[in-house]
Structure formats: C-alpha cells, structure tokens
Amino acid sequence: MAFEISPKGNLKEAEALALSLGEAISSGETEEAAELCKKLSQLSVEVSVSIKSHVYPQDSIRLMVGVQDALSEDYIPVILVVSSGMTIAELKDKISQDFGFHPTLQRWVIGKRLAQDKDTLYSHGIRKSGDQAFLFILSANAAHLTRQQHNQDQEQQRLAGIVESMQSIQLHPRGVGAGDKMAPLPVPPKNVAAPKPAPKPQLGWSCTMCTFLNKPTRPGCEMCGAERPEDYEVPDIYQPDQEEVLRIQQERLALLQYEQAQQLEREQNYMYLLATEDQNLIPNTTETECPICYSSLEPGEGVVLRECLHTFCRECLKGTVINSQDAEVSCADTDCESKLLDREIKELLTEEEHQRFLELRLNIAESRSEHSFHCQTPNCRGWCIYEDDVNEFHCDLCNETNCLLCRAIHKDMNCKDYQDDLRIRAENDEAAQQTKQVLENMLQNGEAMKCPRCDIIVQKKDGCDWICCLMCKTEICWVTKQARWGPNGTGDTSGGCRCRVNNKPCHPNCQNCH
C-alpha cells in the first residue's frame, strides 16, 4: 500500500495516519483501518492509494501488440514480455527504450478503451500470454514533440540510470579521527543484478515519420517503412554489428536471386516467343473460360490473340470474323481496341470463307476510298484508286480502258465525240441516258464543268485549282469556271480569271496555285 499526500494541513500527523492505514489494510484490520480513514479525512489532505507491484502475479506474459501509425493501413505485430502489474507509463518507457518511440507519441488501446498512464495491465484484463493490445504511434508534429525535447528526455533517462547505480555505493570516513573502529565492508547480496550502465549514444538516422532511431545502414525505417533521408550518409567510423552484416548479406543475396529470376524469365519468354512464331494460332496454356460463350477451355482448346493476349474459343473467334463489317477485325472484347492479324484470320476460316472475307475487304476499301473508280464493264470486279494526273484506268480483269473524266468506256472515240454521241443516244438508249444523267448531276453539284472553249465536260479529281482540257488543251481556273488566260494565250491577263492582277486573287476561295 502506498500513499501520496499534498503539502498542506498537518503533514506530520497525516503521514503517520497514512502509514498506519497502510499497515492496517495490509494486515486485514478492518476496524482499525476504518478509524484511521476517519481521522485522515478530518485533516482534509489529498492522498492517493495504489497497490504494491509485488502483490500482482510476477509471471512473465507474452503480450500480442498490433502497432500502427497514421500513414500505414495495416498494423505490424509485435510480441512484448511484460507482467500484469506493469502500468501503462512503464509500458511506454519500455517501448521507448526497446524501439525508440517517445512516450508522448504512444497511444495504447486495450479492450476498446484508451489506457491511461496510471492504469495497470491487470486492470485492463491483461493476465495471460496471448492477450492482445493495440499501439498507435502519433507523428512528432501531431504530438508536438520537438527534437530538443526528445534529446532532453533521453538525457534525463541516462542521468536516472547513473543515480540509480550510485545509490548502492556507501561512503566511509577516512583519515585521522575517523574512528577507532572501522565498520566492516558490506557483503554484496547474492543473485542481485548489477546496475545497468547508462546507454551510449547510438549512431543512426531518425525516421521523419515515426521518429524511430534506425541503424545507419538501413535503407528504410524498420518500423514504418519510410525512406531514409536522401542527405544522410553512413559515418565512416561506423562498424555494423553481426546482425547488420547478416542482413546486408541477405539483401545482396536476395537482389542477386531476383535479378537471376528476372533474367531466367526473360529467356523463357524469348524461347516461348520463338516457339510460337511459326504458329498461326497460339493455344492457351492454362485452363480458362471464353468470355463470349462462357464455356470452359482446357489447355490447348482456346486461342490467345497475339496483339492483346485475350483468350477465346475458336468458334466465337470465327463468328467474330465472319460477322465483321470492317476491313480490320477487332478483338471480341468490347473494351479492347486490338485487331486480329491476317495469319490468325486465315487459320480460323476455311478456304472458301477466307476468299469471301477478302472480297468483303476489297468492297469495303472501295466504298470508303474517296478517289475510287469501278470498272464500267458489266459484272467486272475491277476497280482502282486514281491520282489527279491520271485520266484513264486500264482494267486487268476485263482488259478494257475506262475514261475517268467521262466515267465510261469509249473505245475509238475521244471525250468530245463520246459526249456528243451520248447526247444523241440518250434519247433512245436507257444506258446512255443514265450516263448522261450522271454527268449532268456532276455539273449541278460542282463536281465537273464544261470547257469554256470546246464545251466538253471536264473534272477536277484532286489537287490545285488549275486544270487543262484534254481536247483543246485550254488552261482552266476551277474556282471561277473560266479560262485561266485571255484570248492571246499564256500570260494574257486581258481576259480569263485575271488572278493576281494588282495582287488580287481571282476568287475568295482561290488557293493561289495557278
């Protein structure tokens, strides 16, 4: 039983009563203890009552502690050897000495309660090995702990250790008159542990997140995993201990093993790539499920696409190719933009199906090309993509020559004769009438024009605004739909479009290219 009395009132009498009360309670004298309590209360002094530590069970307990700081999501398990009579304040000091966390940074939670410094582990139900507690580590900024305060507290701990070690020293008188009899030297008690020397200052770096003092060679904090400060350098005088040497060797060995494993994996992937290069379809090597029909695929039953590594069954991939309306077949995964390779498509389809797919590709390419022209021979599949300086298309399939300007085949006739003949035949020939209608539509839509000199229909397929009539070789300005020069020919600005005369363009849409 221990008591603390505030310095007011009759302290001498209060001390005597408190001492007697402790003895009465310890010996079980109920009536005497009640009488002493009554007298002590009449003095109106502040007292505190606590139980002696030797009363608690002295067996060591292995306490399971989960440690977490403000930045980590998971806790770190730590095992502490404690006794049930230990107070929370003593527990904080133990953590500070063993792990370097200042007591002000520690918050202990036991049984869903925040433990106070004066509480004992026994009062929170910690009585056997395996009991659990939770320790939350505050940051130094949150706890308002400065480095100066931290250093002062460490210095006080060192001084306390020195004072504790000096308490066992007994001084004796010496010199003349010191006494006739010398008291015998005290016999040191047996089995008493020698006082611990004051801890030596440790070399290392303090974690900026949790303030834990790490060994100089550690690349990251041992407690919270934070990075070592970039400007920290390991002192030249520092000699790592055996544990550190072993850790460094293990880290180097682990790094070497990791690099070797990476190299081995690269070589295996390269060999696998070489082995699959000769295969048009890559089979799956693991059991999986087709994301389209949800059928289970044993190893070798599915197809792994080369571009995106998505796996499907052959039937679903084949259906994707056959039903595709694009020249390039996309991956069946709706979120994937990869395309199937030609070698994969060819392997999935039969010869007949592949031929139909190629024809579909050609039709799609023709319909989407801006400058495509289909051969005018009935039932001929020939077509071309023309350039601006090309006016004829010789079809290799039917061996006919198409006029790109007239959009027709007029063998043994020039464009003027054909167009004149077309006007005559259009009265009785339905096909000629359709061709004439196409040319007239082109004139109305601005896709063609009549030559200002010979009156045949000419067309600008692409390029600049300068064109030349194939029949009379007249230079024509496309935007103004008239001759480029005057009646005297090239260079005559008395007529024509008069482009750039007095630095003025011939038309607002003039591209200044003629």
Side-chain angles (χ1 to χ4, degrees), residues 160 162-170:
I162 296 173
V163 172
E164 183 179 351
S165 62
M166 292 182 62
Q167 290 178 352
S168 60
I169 300 176
Q170 183 176 0

Side-chain angles (χ1 to χ4, degrees), residues 256-433:
L256 178 61
Q257 292 175 346
Y258 174 73
E259 293 176 350
Q260 291 176 347
Q262 272 193 327
Q263 182 64 25
L264 179 61
E265 183 179 3
R266 293 192 190 100
E267 293 176 357
Q268 291 177 346
N269 291 340
Y270 178 71
M271 296 304 296
Y272 179 73
L273 180 62
L274 292 180
T276 57
E277 184 61 28
D278 297 333
Q279 302 178 11
N280 292 328
L281 292 180
I282 302 177
N284 60 309
T285 57
T286 59
E287 184 180 354
T288 185
E289 183 181 69
C290 177
I292 299 178
C293 63
Y294 300 105
S295 59
S296 298
L297 301 176
E298 297 294 331
E301 293 182 352
V303 176
V304 180
L305 298 182
R306 292 178 181 271
E307 291 295 308
C308 57
L309 303 182
H310 286 142
T311 303
F312 304 93
C313 67
R314 292 178 65 101
E315 290 74 15
C316 291
L317 270 183
K318 181 177 179 179
T320 301
V321 175
I322 293 176
N323 296 319
S324 175
Q325 297 300 317
D326 293 321
E328 291 184 317
V329 182
S330 300
C331 172
D333 191 321
T334 55
D335 297 328
C336 182
E337 298 180 355
S338 300
K339 309 296 181 182
L340 272 70
L341 302 182
D342 289 342
R343 60 193 297 189
E344 295 173 330
I345 295 174
K346 185 176 181 180
E347 189 69 20
L348 288 168
L349 304 179
T350 63
E351 186 65 29
E352 183 181 355
E353 291 170 340
H354 186 246
Q355 189 63 32
R356 288 201 301 268
F357 175 76
L358 293 180
E359 293 176 0
L360 173 64
R361 271 188 167 179
L362 288 175
N363 294 334
I364 293 174
E366 179 183 359
S367 62
R368 294 182 179 179
S369 177
E370 183 178 357
H371 303 294
S372 64
F373 178 83
H374 197 95
C375 179
Q376 296 299 301
T377 301
N379 300 323
C380 181
R381 295 182 178 179
W383 64 282
C384 73
I385 297 177
Y386 58 83
E387 296 181 356
D388 186 40
D389 56 349
V390 176
N391 297 314
E392 292 182 347
F393 160 51
H394 180 77
C395 180
D396 293 333
L397 297 181
C398 65
N399 205 28
E400 292 288 347
T401 300
N402 294 260
C403 177
L404 300 180
L405 294 176
C406 299
R407 300 277 171 171
I409 299 175
H410 48 80
K411 188 183 300 184
D412 302 327
M413 299 176 66
N414 57 33
C415 294
K416 179 175 176 56
D417 293 340
Y418 170 74
Q419 292 181 17
D420 292 340
D421 180 67
L422 184 65
R423 296 188 188 97
I424 299 173
R425 288 190 295 112
E427 297 178 0
N428 301 316
D429 189 348
E430 183 178 355
Q433 189 174 3

Side-chain angles (χ1 to χ4, degrees), residues 45-75:
V45 293
E46 296 180 1
V47 298
S48 64
V49 183
S50 61
I51 301 176
K52 296 287 187 178
S53 60
H54 68 270
V55 177
Y56 294 96
Q58 300 301 309
D59 298 336
S60 296
I61 296 175
R62 295 173 64 86
L63 179 63
M64 309 296 293
V65 181
V67 183
Q68 186 179 12
D69 62 8
L71 298 179
S72 61
E73 297 181 356
D74 301 324
Y75 67 88

Side-chain angles (χ1 to χ4, degrees), residues 149-305:
Q149 180 183 354
H150 179 66
N151 295 337
Q152 290 177 353
D153 291 344
Q154 286 188 333
E155 188 65 27
Q156 289 178 359
Q157 290 180 359
R158 297 191 189 99
L159 293 176
I162 296 173
V163 172
E164 183 179 351
S165 62
M166 292 182 62
Q167 290 178 352
S168 60
I169 300 176
Q170 183 176 0
L171 301 178
H172 300 281
R174 56 179 295 180
V176 181
D180 298 335
K181 296 181 179 180
M182 292 290 294
L185 294 175
V187 179
K190 297 181 179 181
N191 300 329
V192 177
K196 295 182 179 180
K200 297 180 180 180
Q202 295 184 5
L203 295 173
W205 56 276
S206 179
C207 178
T208 57
M209 302 300 298
C210 64
T211 71
F212 180 74
L213 186 63
N214 294 274
K215 294 181 179 181
T217 58
R218 283 201 65 87
C221 179
E222 185 178 359
M223 296 305 297
C224 68
E227 295 289 339
R228 184 173 65 184
E230 295 182 358
D231 56 349
Y232 179 80
E233 296 181 359
V234 179
D236 297 334
I237 61 173
Y238 180 73
Q239 296 294 331
D241 54 27
Q242 186 63 30
E243 182 180 356
E244 283 186 277
V245 172
L246 179 60
R247 177 183 58 79
I248 295 174
Q249 291 176 349
Q250 290 176 343
E251 288 179 353
R252 291 175 179 174
L253 178 60
L255 180 60
L256 178 61
Q257 292 175 346
Y258 174 73
E259 293 176 350
Q260 291 176 347
Q262 272 193 327
Q263 182 64 25
L264 179 61
E265 183 179 3
R266 293 192 190 100
E267 293 176 357
Q268 291 177 346
N269 291 340
Y270 178 71
M271 296 304 296
Y272 179 73
L273 180 62
L274 292 180
T276 57
E277 184 61 28
D278 297 333
Q279 302 178 11
N280 292 328
L281 292 180
I282 302 177
N284 60 309
T285 57
T286 59
E287 184 180 354
T288 185
E289 183 181 69
C290 177
I292 299 178
C293 63
Y294 300 105
S295 59
S296 298
L297 301 176
E298 297 294 331
E301 293 182 352
V303 176
V304 180
L305 298 182

